[in-house]
């Protein structure tokens, strides 16, 4: 009996639509780190910190899974461009894999929404507005009629939705209140959350350009996007220094331990397309390390 792998073996790059690859587990650090920072910021003011923290983590991770799984749905329109010379059988299996992932992504959104409804009963209408904005932003990242990724808005909106708003929302659920200190403390990690998306655009620059996906990187050009990548990294450290100056980050020296994790991503920025595939997971590794060290620096866990 012919397997899917045998049908698709001559199609280079089809593996991205397999369930594990489509879920992009390395990117779950986005939801994990953002939720953890918000949880920690509101922990001391929470009456049920463990229960609320677990619910926030579950909702955030499901939301991230949903975003990842529906992300390739727009590829249905460009399969012939992305994969030249597909047979009917090969195109069918690619379509079925994309549709399966999309449906599972919607299931993740639905479960995250149910968790959100439970938390809304606790915190009220402000959280309802935040949840609606977050779900809409997650869905329309690649979906029409908005598809803000192809409008060049992916990086700034991920900074806002998966960074500032997710951290602030988690803190609000924990404590029932929100202040500007939470906003300021969310900025360094939010920048690196957007950086992870930018790394994805840099990795796929040539492929996106070929099929007409006008991401931010395609719009501003590869060289300028590389400068933006480095600038966002530098700015995240500058922001930590400013927060330290204001007395909001008591032990900033922990962050220096993340610097070695930048060597490989910075090197890959200079490489041709076929050698840049590791750029996104390596950026994810730096994001995770920076986020964990920021928690140590901010809350003096050790």
């Amino acid at each position: 009996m012919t397997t899917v792998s045998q049908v698709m073996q001559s199609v280079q790059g089809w593996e991205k639509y397999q369930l594990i690859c489509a879920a992009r587990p390395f990117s779950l650090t986005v939801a994990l780190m953002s939720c953890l920072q918000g949880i920690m910021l509101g922990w001391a003011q929470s009456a049920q910190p463990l229960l609320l923290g677990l619910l926030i983590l579950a909702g955030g991770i499901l939301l991230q899974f949903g975003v990842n799984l529906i992300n390739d749905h727009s590829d249905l329109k460009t399969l012939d461009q992305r994969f030249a010379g597909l047979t009917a059988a090969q195109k069918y299996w690619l379509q079925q894999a994309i549709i399966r992932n999309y449906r599972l992504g919607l299931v993740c959104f639905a479960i995250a929404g149910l968790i959100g409804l439970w938390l809304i009963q606790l915190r009220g209408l402000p959280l309802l507005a935040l949840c609606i904005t977050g779900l809409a932003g997650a869905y329309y990242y690649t979906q029409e009629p908005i598809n803000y990724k192809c409008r060049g808005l992916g990086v700034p909106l991920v900074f806002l939705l998966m960074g500032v708003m997710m951290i602030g929302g988690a803190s609000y659920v924990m404590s029932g209140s929100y202040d500007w200190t939470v906003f300021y403390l969310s900025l360094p990690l939010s920048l690196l959350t957007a950086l992870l998306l930018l790394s994805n655009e840099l990795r796929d620059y040539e492929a996106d350009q070929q099929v007409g996906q006008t991401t931010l990187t395609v719009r501003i050009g590869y060289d300028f996007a590389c400068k933006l990548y480095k600038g966002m990294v530098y700015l995240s450290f500058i922001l930590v220094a400013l927060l330290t100056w204001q007395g909001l980050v008591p032990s900033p020296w922990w962050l220096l331990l993340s610097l070695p994790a930048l060597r490989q991503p910075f090197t890959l920025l200079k490489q041709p397309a076929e050698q840049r595939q590791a750029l996104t997971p390596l950026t994810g590794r730096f994001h995770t390390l920076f986020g964990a060290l920021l928690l140590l620096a901010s809350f003096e866990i050790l």
Side-chain angles (χ1 to χ4, degrees), residues 106-120:
L106 294 182
V107 171
C108 290
F109 284 154
I111 300 173
L114 290 175
I115 294 173
L117 287 174
W118 188 359
L119 296 174
I120 287 164

Side-chain angles (χ1 to χ4, degrees), residues 50-68:
L50 184 59
L51 174 61
L52 292 178
L54 290 174
L55 288 172
I56 290 166
L57 283 172
I61 289 172
L62 282 166
L63 187 65
Q64 182 72 59
F65 265 132
V67 171
N68 293 345

Side-chain angles (χ1 to χ4, degrees), residues 70-78 98 142-143 147 213:
I70 72 169
N71 182 57
D72 298 320
H73 191 252
S74 59
D75 288 3
L76 286 172
K77 300 176 181 179
T78 60
I98 293 170
T142 55
Q143 302 305 305
N147 194 351
Q213 286 210 23

